[in-house]
Amino acid sequence: NLFPDSKVTDSARNYPWMAEGGEIVKMTKVMDGKSYVVCARHRMRSENGEHDTTGRKYHQMYFVAIPSDQWSIAAIPQLNDLLKANPLTKANLSMDKVKINTNVLDEKLPDGWCDESVKELLLRIITGKATSVQNWDMKIGEALNKFYYCLLCLPEDISRRISFGAGLMGKMEGGVRLGHGMSAYTPNQRKVKDTWRGEEGIDFSLGKRYLAELEAILPACQTPRDVLK
């Protein structure tokens, strides 16, 4: 199940990211003995029409499987445009291959890219516990950018294995390591609007040391590829 936190209930009628195309997840899966990074988009559609909120819902999904040795972190901020769950009436086995623009790794990083919102995610990811953010005002594209900058600061072998979801429907209960969506219910480390909750007893010492070392290195980094080095 690529959408473990997606419980389709009546709350789907109030889903705030329908116009962006629906929720996105990224996970690592082993299929036929080979490791893949699987990215998927899922959205609900009404049988009464595209913009109807009252009719019976059906699922529309779009999947992309990338061999793990071909995965590039550059894909993360592009997923919102690459994954389009367009209606189909039959299987299409001749879709074009997804092309990831890796040139973005050599483009100059924007000023303030590693801001407090990115650092607070990185601090919590390093604890090894699932982290979720409940914020209906944050766009899926914005959440993906934050995940990109956060994971950019980790070794590639680690960041490739970290699952995430943006614009998740229903309760986030730890099905992905890094989640953004409608309802944050992870046992630990959940942010509701501007407040972090459920962090009693969590040891952040390792994350704080990592951030301190990172902050000493980042001023010399001009591009994402510089950070990856």
Side-chain angles (χ1 to χ4, degrees):
N1 184 5
L2 290 177
F3 294 87
D5 290 331
S6 186
K7 310 293 193 300
V8 180
T9 64
D10 285 341
S11 64
R13 301 181 187 279
N14 301 316
Y15 184 69
W17 301 289
M18 192 68 75
E20 280 194 86
E23 57 186 348
I24 289 175
V25 297
K26 172 259 183 186
M27 290 186 176
T28 301
K29 297 283 185 180
V30 176
M31 296 180 283
D32 297 328
K34 186 172 182 177
S35 176
Y36 289 85
V37 174
V38 180
C39 302
R41 170 151 247 161
H42 165 241
R43 67 172 297 182
M44 301 297 293
R45 294 182 184 274
S46 171
E47 291 184 345
N48 291 342
E50 179 68 20
H51 301 291
D52 181 83
T53 60
T54 60
R56 188 173 65 175
K57 300 294 190 294
Y58 69 94
H59 300 262
Q60 186 73 43
M61 297 188 185
Y62 182 87
F63 303 88
V64 174
I66 304 171
S68 291
D69 58 1
Q70 297 179 31
W71 167 256
S72 171
I73 196 172
I76 297 176
Q78 301 175 53
L79 291 177
N80 205 27
D81 292 323
L82 291 174
L83 301 178
K84 299 294 185 183
N86 296 320
L88 296 173
T89 58
K90 61 181 179 179
N92 182 353
L93 302 180
S94 60
M95 288 183 173
D96 293 334
K97 288 186 177 181
V98 170
K99 296 180 180 180
I100 299 170
N101 177 17
T102 57
N103 292 333
V104 297
L105 296 178
D106 297 307
E107 296 177 358
K108 190 177 185 305
L109 286 161
D111 293 338
W113 67 272
C114 191
D115 61 15
E116 193 60 34
S117 66
V118 172
K119 291 176 182 176
E120 65 184 15
L121 290 177
L122 185 57
L123 175 67
R124 288 159 178 85
I125 278 290
I126 291 173
T127 67
K129 298 181 183 298
T131 301
S132 59
V133 175
Q134 175 182 318
N135 188 337
W136 292 31
D137 296 326
M138 182 185 294
K139 300 292 187 182
I140 289 175
E142 181 183 352
L144 290 174
N145 279 334
K146 291 184 184 299
F147 295 170
Y148 170 56
Y149 290 137
C150 173
L151 298 179
L152 191 63
C153 296
L154 295 174
E156 287 185 271
D157 284 346
I158 295 175
S159 67
R160 183 173 58 249
R161 295 182 175 91
I162 292 178
S163 60
F164 63 74
L168 295 176
M169 186 185 303
K171 296 180 180 179
M172 292 180 285
E173 299 177 314
V176 290
R177 281 283 305 281
L178 190 55
H180 155 262
M182 293 181 70
S183 301
Y185 278 82
T186 46
N188 302 297
Q189 304 189 133
R190 61 189 186 276
K191 187 177 185 181
V192 179
K193 279 289 188 179
D194 299 318
T195 304
W196 284 99
R197 302 177 182 177
E199 299 190 322
E200 297 80 6
I202 297 179
D203 184 2
F204 291 110
S205 58
L206 178 60
K208 289 179 179 178
R209 291 199 301 272
Y210 189 89
L211 281 176
E213 294 180 10
L214 190 67
E215 288 173 346
I217 298 171
L218 289 185
C221 298
Q222 298 297 310
T223 68
R225 202 178 299 279
D226 291 339
V227 180
L228 291 174
K229 294 177 182 178

